Amino acid sequence: MQHPPLFPSPVPSPENSRRNCVIAFTTPQNYAPRLSELIHLKGWTPLWCPTVIVESTQQTISSIHHYLNPQAGIDEPNSFLEEFSALAFTSKTGITAFSQALSINPTPPLTPNGEILTIAALGNDAELLDREFIRKMCENPERIRVLVPSIATPSGLVEALGLGQGRKVLCPVPLVIGLNEPPVVPKFLEDLSKRGWIPVRLDAYETRWAGAKCAEDVVIKSEEECGFDAIVFTSTGEVEGLLKSLEEFGLDWSMVRRRCPRMVAAAHGPVTAAGAESLGVGIDVVSSNFGSFNGVVDALAHKWKSLENQES
């Protein structure tokens, strides 16, 4: 397993006096380096315990190509993407997978002339919709409009898109394997329909359980006297993956709580928090700024600062 970058021994930041805090986090590989760095910058020790694997496969790349390639059997073939008014990304991985498919496509899927295509993404994910991405989509950048909702949630994205009026929106989302699909994507598609859009689901990448041993570090650390100080979840799938792995060790969440009574459970945004709660995992800290991982790390620091003030 490839681990995120290792950092020198943490140095507590001025605003956070807690020393030697160990922060477990369950993000997949593509998000791990950034969150690990932010934890380190707070003067804490990151403990990466990925519970899901998120990646493109040949099957998912082929699924994307279906919409990028020219339609067969017509006089002036255009790609299926020309039928859509919007392309709605709910994750960084979806953008990366789509960009990967674009890179091996012989020509841009959109012709220089035609209706504007709105491409929507959440928070910092939109940074991937750069000039290179737009160039691979269409030779005429004027055909592309990038939309970043002010609230970085799927529901915020739906609101930002506005009324669909019978138009089609392509939604690159994960194909969940070995876990129950969280309600986030089905609700997202349902909400788009309620706003008059015709959402088309595209399984653009896979999210799979990382296996029985993914909670091993959590279990080992929880058996130590000091245990760990916090655990950070960034998706509902991560929570379910952890619970499934704990079962393999004969444990459940309540047992981990008892082993680590001072542990703080933090969620990256209200969607993840609600998903965790639905699985029986109580959340102590929810980031209000969830456009980036800075929000959940800052929320943890604020939580501990408040506790210190109460104790002093």
Side-chain angles (χ1 to χ4, degrees):
M1 180 181 295
Q2 183 180 2
H3 290 269
L6 296 177
F7 298 99
S9 298
V11 178
S13 57
E15 79 271 13
N16 178 50
S17 61
R18 295 181 70 94
R19 295 177 180 271
N20 301 322
C21 286
V22 177
I23 316 298
F25 61 106
T26 56
T27 57
Q29 170 65 38
N30 54 329
Y31 291 114
R34 177 56 179 158
L35 184 51
S36 181
E37 178 186 20
L38 291 172
I39 290 170
H40 171 78
L41 289 174
K42 286 293 185 184
W44 306 329
T45 300
L47 176 65
W48 185 43
C49 308
T51 60
V52 294
I53 297 170
V54 177
E55 62 184 3
S56 298
T57 65
Q58 189 59 51
Q59 179 182 348
T60 58
I61 292 296
S62 296
S63 297
I64 297 173
H65 270 142
H66 171 75
Y67 293 94
L68 305 182
N69 294 328
Q71 302 180 47
I74 57 178
D75 294 335
E76 297 182 6
N78 293 322
S79 71
F80 283 102
L81 194 60
E82 292 279 7
E83 300 176 359
F84 292 84
S85 298
L87 177 59
F89 292 106
T90 57
S91 71
K92 175 182 178 181
T93 311
I95 302 174
T96 302
F98 206 91
S99 181
Q100 181 182 352
L102 284 169
S103 296
I104 56 180
N105 213 52
T107 58
L110 297 179
T111 59
N113 301 309
E115 299 295 325
I116 289 177
L117 176 73
T118 297
I119 306 180
L122 301 176
N124 285 359
D125 294 352
E127 294 175 359
L128 297 180
L129 303 178
D130 53 15
R131 289 183 180 179
E132 179 64 16
F133 184 94
I134 301 302
R135 184 192 64 78
K136 290 188 290 188
M137 286 286 294
C138 184
E139 294 177 357
N140 176 16
E142 299 299 319
R143 279 203 64 185
I144 306 295
R145 178 174 77 105
V146 174
L147 175 66
V148 184
S150 57
I151 301 176
T153 63
S155 59
L157 193 155
V158 173
E159 289 300 317
L161 281 172
L163 297 177
Q165 298 177 323
R167 293 175 294 167
K168 296 173 72 173
V169 52
L170 186 62
C171 306
V173 296
L175 173 64
V176 181
I177 299 173
L179 298 167
N180 294 317
E181 181 177 43
V184 178
V185 168
K187 185 178 185 305
F188 173 60
L189 300 176
E190 180 183 354
D191 289 346
L192 284 168
S193 295
K194 290 179 179 178
R195 296 282 286 175
W197 288 92
I198 301 174
V200 176
R201 176 174 184 146
L202 169 58
D203 292 331
Y205 58 97
E206 291 183 358
T207 295
R208 304 191 308 277
W209 182 41
K213 290 188 176 182
C214 66
E216 186 172 15
D217 287 344
V218 170
V219 173
I220 293 173
K221 199 69 179 175
S222 70
E223 293 172 340
E224 299 177 3
E225 182 179 352
C226 295
F228 52 95
D229 300 87
I231 186 166
V232 176
F233 300 112
T234 64
S235 73
T236 304
E238 295 169 28
V239 180
E240 186 186 350
L242 177 65
L243 296 178
K244 189 171 181 179
S245 180
L246 287 175
E247 288 180 8
E248 297 290 330
F249 287 91
L251 300 173
D252 59 24
W253 180 249
S254 64
M255 297 170 72
V256 174
R257 279 286 200 185
R258 288 195 295 272
R259 289 181 173 193
C260 304
R262 63 185 178 131
M263 177 188 66
V264 175
H268 176 56
V271 174
T272 299
E277 296 279 358
S278 71
L279 293 170
V281 173
I283 296 297
D284 307 300
V285 173
V286 184
S287 57
S288 56
N289 173 21
F290 38 88
S292 72
F293 288 147
N294 296 74
V296 69
V297 174
D298 288 342
L300 263 179
H302 178 74
K303 170 76 172 180
W304 280 326
K305 190 67 175 178
S306 299
L307 290 175
E308 289 172 359
N309 291 337
Q310 292 174 11
E311 294 169 358
S312 61

